[in-house]
């Protein structure tokens, strides 16, 4: 069932409305992923689309649960990932949680494999939007058959684990019309949506960082270094016979 839903969503993303939705998501992903560094990145689901194409991370893995999905580089269930604990620097979940029967198990597994200070990127459909309203009319077929999770609830899920939301945005403010002609006519709504209707984008993109309690980055003690430099400067000035105050 899971593979059927994933395939259906992939097919929808090739439709005019789906292509518009995918384009808006890729704009954010292409701008965000180049600034995330590390050695290993994974994309869970929608392996037909290279959504980490702008990432600078060396090793990129696309995970799918079914062997029949030829575009995947790894075949595994999302709640049983074949990666070591604390080994992943970036994990992308493109509508993954909405089409999995156990989204909480998936998030726990992601938490297990993520390195401290690693980043996760979550893309989801916003139930409090025109997309959500469209889903209320009929939940047959993707993406309307997915379990839309609100941005507020998603943040709550993340904070119950060890993730701190640090950024993101909403997009897709036009009504979910299948006609490309009407999409062009209503395109102005995307331009004013962030300013006037910021909570009602059809999709949201969320970035979060894995935090580990009791762990901190070791940085040089700049204050000690400055004090030492002042002492050395004062000693050098005394030796030259003209002591001055170093500010």
């Amino acid at each position: 069932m899971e593979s059927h839903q994933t395939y259906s969503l992939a097919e929808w993303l090739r439709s005019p409305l789906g292509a518009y939705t995918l384009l808006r998501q890729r704009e954010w992903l292409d701008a965000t992923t180049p600034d995330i560094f590390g050695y290993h990145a994974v994309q869970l689901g929608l392996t037909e689309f290279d959504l980490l194409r702008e990432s600078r991370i060396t090793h990129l893995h696309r995970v799918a649960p079914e062997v029949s999905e030829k575009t995947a580089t790894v075949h595994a269930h999302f709640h049983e990932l074949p990666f070591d604990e604390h080994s992943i620097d970036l994990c992308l979940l493109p509508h993954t949680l909405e089409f999995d029967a156990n989204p909480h198990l998936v998030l726990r597994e992601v938490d297990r494999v993520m390195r401290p200070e690693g980043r996760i990127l979550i893309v989801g459909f916003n139930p409090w939007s025109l997309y959500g309203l469209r889903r209320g009319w009929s939940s047959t077929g993707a993406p309307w058959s997915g379990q839309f999770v609100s941005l507020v609830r998603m943040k709550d899920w993340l904070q119950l684990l060890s993730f701190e939301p640090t950024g993101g945005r909403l997009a897709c403010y036009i009504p979910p019309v299948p006609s490309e002609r009407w999409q062009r006519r209503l395109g102005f709504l995307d331009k004013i949506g962030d300013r006037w209707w910021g909570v009602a984008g059809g999709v949201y993109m969320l970035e979060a960082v894995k935090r580990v309690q009791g762990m901190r980055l070791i940085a040089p003690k700049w204050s000690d270094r400055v004090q030492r430099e002042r002492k050395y400067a004062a000693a050098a000035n005394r030796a030259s016979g003209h002591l001055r105050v170093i500010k």
Side-chain angles (χ1 to χ4, degrees), residues 147-163:
Q147 297 298 315
F148 291 10
V149 181
S150 72
L151 183 57
V152 172
R153 178 175 294 181
M154 185 64 69
K155 289 181 177 180
D156 287 342
W157 288 2
L158 294 174
Q159 291 173 348
L160 287 174
L161 295 171
S162 55
F163 295 104

Side-chain angles (χ1 to χ4, degrees), residues 177-197:
V177 293
S179 168
E180 293 184 56
R181 179 183 177 185
W182 276 104
Q183 289 174 22
R184 290 192 295 268
R185 286 187 174 184
L186 297 170
F188 70 94
L189 293 175
D190 279 331
K191 298 178 181 179
I192 66 174
D194 281 336
R195 177 176 296 181
W196 301 109
W197 208 19

